[in-house]
Amino acid sequence: MVLLTPLTATNLGLGISLLSSTTDTSITRSSNKMTFRGVRSSKFRHVYGRPARKNNCYECMKITKNAHDSHFCAVNPKFVAIVTESAGGGSFLVIPIEKTGRLEVNAGKVTGHSRPVLDIKWNPFNDNVIASCSDDCTIKLWFIPDEGLKHSNMTKPIMDLHQHYRRVGNIEWHPTAENIILSAGFDNTILIWHVGIGEVMKIIDCHPDSIYSMSFNRDGSLLATTCKDKKLRIIDPRQGKVLKESPCHQGSKASKAVFLGDTGRVFTTGFSKFSDRQWAVWSQHDLSNPLRMENIDSSSGVLFPYYDHDTKIVFLAGKGDGNIRYYEIVDEAPWCHYLHQFLTGSPQRGLGFMPKRGLDVMSCEIFRFYKLHATKDLCEPVSMIVPRKSERFQDDLYPDTVAPTPALTAEEWLSGKNRNPVLLSLKTGAGARTNKPVLYHPDYTTEPNNVVENNRAGHKNISNGDNKNNNVINNVRALDVTNHNKVIELRKRRLPWLEDKEKKDNGAIVCDVVSSGILPVASYVAVNDSDSDPEVEQDEPQTQLELKKACQYQEAEIKKLKEELAARNIRIQELEDQLQKLLTNGSHM
């Protein structure tokens, strides 16, 4: 027998309060009637963290013990870079991504800084170029060969940027414009650099104290910063003007900010005046009050936010914590929903993360951290997995993501243009890596210089060899250098992936992965630009006379192309001979 008790308002209120305390629920009232809508559904509710096995970790490296609030680790599909402890200078390791296990004792390092390295960031458009900043007040750019550093240290950068007069704590590459990097120094200024010419384009001098963090929005038109004066600022970087500013977290320790893509909102972490750790969501249009602010705990480690725009998930990881929390961002109140946390017993000193194109999409991996252990000489990959039984590609988990292709040149962005990132389908482009530069020209439909690596497809489309001489020859071919002086100038002053000034008038742009069709969808076969006109299809010949004329015209075109190709091959051979003489003379000196 089942006893039915009358449903009273007290019992109903008690049941609702119990359910809301254990699950994410919502209740609505209308005309004195209550409706219970149940648990909020999300495909990311069961995301879990999976640490890598020991043989897939990186061991025996002296990780830096610097107290600066930085990640100390940078990752791309080719390399893992880790800042290391050093005596009397600054250095960091660069390890090929596949070389896991114990690090060799005599492994090569990047050792060009005279003081400790504070931050490192890979160029988003060239997997072989990394930027570093240091206590020595400089920013340096390094070109890492595909095989890594092996047993030799790298001491000479390809570019050395001097303008700050105090140490440089943070650097940030522009998300869509090529050759633009920002640096934040302890002289309370942010400098916008054009690394193609090695000059400062703009000085942002609106902070009265140390700058804790900076973050671009989706198209790179706005910059969010946090400062020691406890204020959050939205800045127009090209004008150097503060558009909005407001008090943020009131604690004395560092706060961090990250733009939530193109949603018009900013996510911040920091401390309350009672030293409780907090997170908050702000509207970039009105910073007077946060959309939502929540306390987390009373730990002392600075929280770093990591935002994945494809899944709309924010990961929070604190220095000295052993856990990683993750939240889902939504477009309406309450703006942010707690999902779960990855718990371990080992504290972290820093975290790097893999770009989306480097993830294993067949195992439903949506994010991958590279955890630097605070108590061990160990870098441990941690994959965030959505549990799915199917082994097929999951379209709902992997929308088109950011490709390693610039949407703008530095000059276009500095002149005021904005453009969303070029996108890449992970169904066909997962594991894509950038390699040697290619010549980008909107008038060409195909480009023989195109070099793209795709691990998952298991093939490489490499036009030339990997040694240093061939790299130089490739650049000479791409830029069509016509005399000895230009060759020497190219080797001394030009970076191997940058735009050549002599080619600007002809519209030639050097980039890493070419695009096809209408931006922002990227592929690896054809070259086209969104600003260029689409090709007009010609009518087919209708009569025998028209067919004969068309055939004669095609034969003439083919003959002309053969002659041009033969002349080009002769010119290439002459340039190779000249370059070989230069290299031979240089080796004898």
Side-chain angles (χ1 to χ4, degrees):
M1 177 180 292
V2 179
L3 296 177
L4 298 176
T5 59
L7 183 63
T8 64
T10 303
N11 292 336
L12 180 61
L14 178 61
I16 291 174
S17 63
L18 288 174
L19 283 169
S20 62
S21 64
T22 56
T23 60
D24 186 8
T25 62
S26 57
I27 297 175
T28 59
R29 291 174 182 265
S30 60
S31 64
N32 298 325
K33 189 176 181 180
M34 280 191 176
T35 304
F36 178 69
R37 293 191 300 190
V39 178
R40 190 185 69 91
S41 63
S42 171
K43 56 192 171 188
F44 303 113
R45 287 190 65 220
H46 302 290
V47 170
Y48 67 95
R50 185 177 67 191
R53 296 181 178 179
K54 186 177 180 181
N55 59 341
N56 291 325
C57 297
Y58 305 87
E59 298 183 89
C60 300
M61 64 202 53
K62 298 295 182 182
I63 301 172
T64 181
K65 295 180 174 58
N66 197 312
H68 180 66
D69 294 323
S70 179
H71 305 296
F72 297 126
C73 181
V75 188
N76 67 22
K78 278 189 176 182
F79 302 104
V80 179
I82 300 169
V83 179
T84 57
E85 194 74 7
S86 58
S91 65
F92 59 94
L93 283 165
V94 178
I95 310 169
I97 198 79
E98 66 277 0
K99 291 189 177 180
T100 56
R102 287 179 173 271
L103 185 71
E104 297 180 11
V105 177
N106 57 347
K109 297 179 181 179
V110 179
T111 58
H113 285 285
S114 60
R115 301 290 300 276
V117 175
L118 299 182
D119 197 11
I120 50 176
K121 294 282 172 63
W122 289 103
N123 187 334
F125 310 125
N126 191 315
D127 288 341
N128 294 77
V129 175
I130 188 170
S132 61
C133 63
S134 168
D135 262 350
D136 61 9
C137 309
T138 66
I139 303 100
K140 299 181 189 294
L141 269 62
W142 313 86
F143 189 87
I144 309 298
D146 285 344
E147 63 274 11
L149 301 181
K150 294 188 175 179
H151 303 301
S152 59
N153 290 340
M154 179 176 286
T155 58
K156 293 184 178 180
I158 54 177
M159 184 157 287
D160 199 347
L161 306 175
H162 301 262
Q163 185 76 24
H164 290 282
Y165 59 86
R166 293 189 64 186
R167 58 182 177 147
V168 185
N170 294 288
I171 48 177
E172 193 73 35
W173 290 94
H174 195 280
T176 60
E178 191 178 28
N179 304 331
I180 295 292
I181 190 171
L182 271 64
S183 61
F186 281 75
D187 51 9
N188 308 334
T189 62
I190 296 176
L191 304 185
I192 300 178
W193 299 87
H194 185 337
V195 300
I197 56 179
E199 295 180 1
V200 175
M201 297 288 103
K202 186 70 180 178
I203 299 177
I204 302 175
D205 187 12
C206 59
H207 298 86
D209 215 323
S210 301
I211 301 162
Y212 285 144
S213 69
M214 52 185 177
S215 173
F216 279 107
N217 64 346
R218 180 79 164 166
D219 62 4
S221 60
L222 296 175
L223 184 72
T225 66
T226 56
C227 180
K228 195 174 181 180
D229 66 353
K230 305 176 185 178
K231 286 187 178 181
L232 170 66
R233 291 175 174 84
I234 305 298
I235 300 171
D236 182 344
R238 285 167 292 203
Q239 300 296 325
K241 295 181 180 179
V242 178
L243 304 180
K244 300 286 181 180
E245 71 175 343
S246 175
C248 189
H249 303 278
Q250 296 304 301
S252 58
K253 294 185 179 179
S255 57
K256 302 291 180 180
V258 61
F259 253 109
L260 297 178
D262 54 5
T263 64
R265 296 188 295 276
V266 182
F267 190 96
T268 62
T269 60
F271 293 81
S272 70
K273 59 183 178 180
F274 302 110
S275 297
D276 293 326
R277 293 199 294 190
Q278 297 175 320
W279 61 261
V281 180
W282 308 76
S283 170
Q284 71 180 40
H285 307 291
D286 182 11
L287 299 182
S288 58
N289 290 296
L291 299 174
R292 185 182 177 188
M293 181 178 287
E294 292 287 337
N295 288 352
I296 301 175
D297 55 27
S298 299
S299 296
S300 59
V302 175
L303 279 172
F304 289 87
Y306 303 82
Y307 178 63
D308 179 18
H309 184 70
D310 298 339
T311 59
K312 304 294 191 296
I313 293 179
V314 171
F315 298 87
L316 298 185
K319 268 200 166 184
D321 291 357
N323 61 340
I324 301 173
R325 298 176 176 87
Y326 32 102
Y327 300 78
E328 186 173 6
I329 302 298
V330 293
D331 293 329
E332 57 185 10
W335 308 107
C336 186
H337 293 279
Y338 174 76
L339 291 173
H340 210 303
Q341 63 178 332
F342 167 68
L343 287 167
T344 64
S346 302
Q348 58 230 6
R349 185 176 299 279
L351 287 169
F353 65 94
M354 174 70 74
K356 209 60 175 288
R357 57 191 167 93
L359 301 182
D360 183 4
V361 297
M362 290 302 128
S363 65
C364 298
E365 183 184 30
I366 61 170
F367 212 81
R368 188 192 305 162
F369 288 101
Y370 284 74
K371 175 180 175 179
L372 303 182
H373 283 243
T375 57
K376 307 175 189 175
D377 296 332
L378 178 68
C379 176
E380 177 186 37
V382 178
S383 299
M384 311 307 294
I385 307 291
V386 177
R388 295 277 176 95
K389 290 184 179 180
S390 174
E391 295 182 356
R392 300 179 61 185
F393 179 79
Q394 305 293 315
D395 296 277
D396 61 324
L397 298 182
Y398 300 106
D400 289 350
T401 192
V402 176
T405 307
L408 295 167
T409 63
E411 289 76 13
E412 288 174 334
W413 182 76
L414 291 169
S415 66
K417 288 187 179 180
N418 295 320
R419 188 176 293 167
N420 285 327
V422 179
L423 300 183
L424 162 75
S425 171
L426 288 177
K427 189 170 186 177
T428 56
R433 303 175 174 187
T434 65
N435 201 290
K436 301 179 184 65
V438 296
L439 188 63
Y440 177 77
H441 199 292
D443 296 336
Y444 297 160
T445 56
T446 59
E447 192 65 51
N449 277 18
N450 183 20
V451 181
V452 173
E453 299 178 30
N454 191 316
N455 283 347
R456 184 153 303 282
H459 68 273
K460 293 185 178 180
N461 179 20
I462 302 179
S463 59
N464 295 291
D466 289 330
N467 57 56
K468 294 182 180 179
N469 293 344
N470 282 341
N471 283 342
V472 178
I473 292 172
N474 290 339
N475 295 333
V476 173
R477 289 177 178 175
L479 300 176
D480 195 20
V481 181
T482 57
N483 55 51
H484 295 216
N485 295 332
K486 287 186 179 179
V487 175
I488 296 172
E489 182 181 0
L490 179 67
R491 295 179 62 197
K492 289 184 177 180
R493 299 182 57 190
R494 293 289 100 193
L495 301 182
W497 71 96
L498 296 182
E499 180 179 354
D500 193 295
K501 285 186 175 181
E502 290 75 17
K503 288 287 181 176
K504 281 184 180 178
D505 295 336
N506 298 328
I509 301 170
V510 175
C511 64
D512 298 307
V513 179
V514 293
S515 60
S516 172
I518 302 302
L519 293 175
V521 178
S523 70
Y524 306 113
V525 179
V527 179
N528 199 0
D529 188 32
S530 59
D531 296 332
S532 60
D533 295 328
E535 296 182 0
V536 179
E537 295 185 0
Q538 298 180 353
D539 294 334
E540 296 181 358
Q542 301 294 328
T543 65
Q544 186 174 3
L545 180 61
E546 291 178 354
L547 182 63
K548 185 176 180 181
K549 289 183 178 180
C551 183
Q552 292 174 350
Y553 176 80
Q554 293 291 339
E555 289 177 350
E557 286 292 315
I558 292 172
K559 182 178 179 181
K560 181 180 177 182
L561 290 173
K562 285 182 177 179
E563 291 173 353
E564 291 177 355
L565 183 61
R568 184 179 180 85
N569 289 337
I570 293 173
R571 181 58 182 160
I572 289 173
Q573 187 61 45
E574 292 175 355
L575 289 172
E576 289 179 351
D577 294 339
Q578 292 173 7
L579 184 59
Q580 189 61 40
K581 290 179 181 179
L582 287 173
L583 295 174
T584 303
N585 295 335
S587 63
H588 290 312
M589 290 178 64

